[in-house]
Amino acid sequence: MLLRKKIPTNKRIVVKIGTSSLMTPQGKVNYQQFDRLAYVLSTLNQSGKEVILVSSGAMGVGMDKLHIHDRPKSIPGQQAISAIGQSEMMNLYSRFFSHYNQMVGQILMTRDVVEFPESYQNVKNTFETLLKMGIIPIVNENDTVAVEELDHATKFGDNDQLSAIVANITQADILLMLSDIDGFYDQNPSHNPDAHLFHTIEDVTDKELARAGGEGSSFGTGGMRTKLKAAQYLLKNNQEMILAKAEDPTILFDILKGHEIGTYFSRHPEFIKEDIDE
């Protein structure tokens, strides 16, 4: 609990939400969730926080828009639906955020953007400019062009990894990852009622990764392993992350007050000192 005392002073925050948290179990757009998220992030932004949202959901929203129940197997089919879904998703975000007098801006990224110095600096400048203007950047992978082909890998793989990279690019104080589970457990809590929730993780090792399962829902591409990989990436860069349940986005208010919610990935000062000494 003592470790979380500094969280209320965090100013720059990246929030990541997954597809399954934006869709109903029936595969329909969860409009109430979009509204709640817009309310919470607008309130935080207008209270002086700098907020960046990394949002999945283009595929799920696109499938709902086209009344498609099965995810296409071909890459062109997936990219076409993502193009439709991305446009519709930003329309939803713009509409709901405007209810709370909050402007948003879209940033679509591919991996090669962060691997070339000039592109990296350009996207960094875009983030900084939007934040200075009080605008919330909404980030997603550019699914319409992102592929892994030959030696030209442009795909991040999942938005958990993307959110960690965005947190690093922007030097955010913390990444708040909202998911369909309320933290990291030693066992799958859906199958074992005795599963133990880890409140704090100081390092993500092979032991933690071995506890993680496979992919998540039929709409999303992430799972616990991708979340742990994101945390591992941030910890290596001496940054922090909290994994918590997305069911009610107002939970973010309590998290940012320092309440013990979800799993807090944070390194003790001695870990950081060892890294510097090395």
Side-chain angles (χ1 to χ4, degrees):
M1 186 62 178
L2 292 176
L3 283 173
R4 301 199 184 199
K5 288 182 70 174
K6 66 177 182 176
I7 290 178
T9 65
N10 288 348
K11 181 175 177 63
R12 182 167 292 185
I13 299 151
V14 175
V15 176
K16 188 268 175 178
I17 192 161
T19 303
S20 60
S21 302
L22 294 170
M23 309 294 293
T24 69
Q26 295 74 35
K28 308 297 290 181
V29 172
N30 188 337
Y31 295 104
Q32 185 179 47
Q33 189 76 327
F34 274 89
D35 187 35
R36 286 175 178 167
L37 190 62
Y39 162 69
V40 172
L41 299 189
S42 298
T43 302
L44 290 173
N45 199 64
Q46 292 162 15
S47 70
K49 303 289 188 184
E50 294 178 333
V51 180
I52 299 165
L53 174 63
V54 177
S55 176
S56 301
M59 180 67 72
V61 173
M63 288 170 65
D64 181 32
K65 182 77 172 177
L66 295 172
H67 308 292
I68 295 173
H69 300 291
D70 297 318
R71 186 186 178 103
K73 291 182 170 52
S74 72
I75 290 177
Q78 292 175 13
Q79 291 178 324
I81 290 176
S82 292
I84 295 165
Q86 185 65 38
S87 174
E88 181 67 13
M89 188 172 73
M90 280 307 300
N91 181 40
L92 289 171
Y93 274 129
S94 295
R95 198 186 326 159
F96 282 113
F97 272 99
S98 69
H99 292 169
Y100 305 103
N101 299 313
Q102 177 61 55
M103 289 184 65
V104 297
Q106 181 183 46
I107 296 181
L108 294 176
M109 295 176 62
T110 52
R111 178 176 281 282
D112 51 353
V113 168
V114 300
E115 291 182 347
F116 293 95
E118 186 175 354
S119 299
Y120 181 93
Q121 190 59 49
N122 286 339
V123 74
K124 184 179 176 70
N125 292 342
T126 301
F127 276 117
E128 293 294 337
T129 302
L130 288 171
L131 293 172
K132 283 180 182 177
M133 295 171 67
I135 296 170
I136 294 178
I138 299 181
V139 188
N140 195 3
E141 183 164 11
N142 191 344
D143 291 324
T144 60
V145 300
V147 295
E148 290 178 354
E149 185 177 7
L150 301 179
D151 59 350
H152 186 61
T154 62
K155 189 173 177 62
F156 289 98
D158 59 82
N159 275 354
D160 293 336
Q161 186 178 4
L162 172 60
S163 65
I165 290 172
V166 168
N168 186 247
I169 290 173
T170 60
Q171 285 301 288
D173 294 307
I174 197 164
L175 167 60
L176 304 179
M177 188 172 291
L178 299 179
S179 180
D180 52 7
I181 191 168
D182 52 4
F184 176 51
Y185 287 81
D186 60 347
Q187 303 173 66
N188 188 333
S190 300
H191 301 154
N192 193 328
D194 297 324
H196 169 72
L197 173 68
F198 293 102
H199 292 289
T200 304
I201 297 286
E202 297 167 3
D203 194 19
V204 177
T205 65
D206 290 342
K207 182 179 178 181
E208 282 75 32
L209 290 172
R211 298 180 190 271
E215 292 188 356
S217 71
S218 59
F219 288 99
T221 58
M224 184 55 69
R225 188 176 180 85
T226 64
K227 291 164 179 52
L228 291 182
K229 283 285 191 180
Q232 185 180 57
Y233 173 85
L234 289 173
L235 290 173
K236 284 181 179 177
N237 289 288
N238 299 325
Q239 290 180 281
E240 301 182 338
M241 178 180 122
I242 289 179
L243 174 62
K245 198 172 182 70
E247 185 176 8
D248 182 1
T250 60
I251 197 176
L252 291 173
F253 293 135
D254 287 334
I255 288 174
L256 291 171
K257 288 176 183 175
H259 293 185
E260 193 174 63
I261 297 169
T263 302
Y264 183 33
F265 295 86
S266 176
R267 306 188 77 178
H268 283 308
E270 56 262 36
F271 280 86
I272 297 174
K273 184 176 185 300
E274 286 172 8
D275 288 344
I276 295 173
D277 290 344
E278 289 174 6

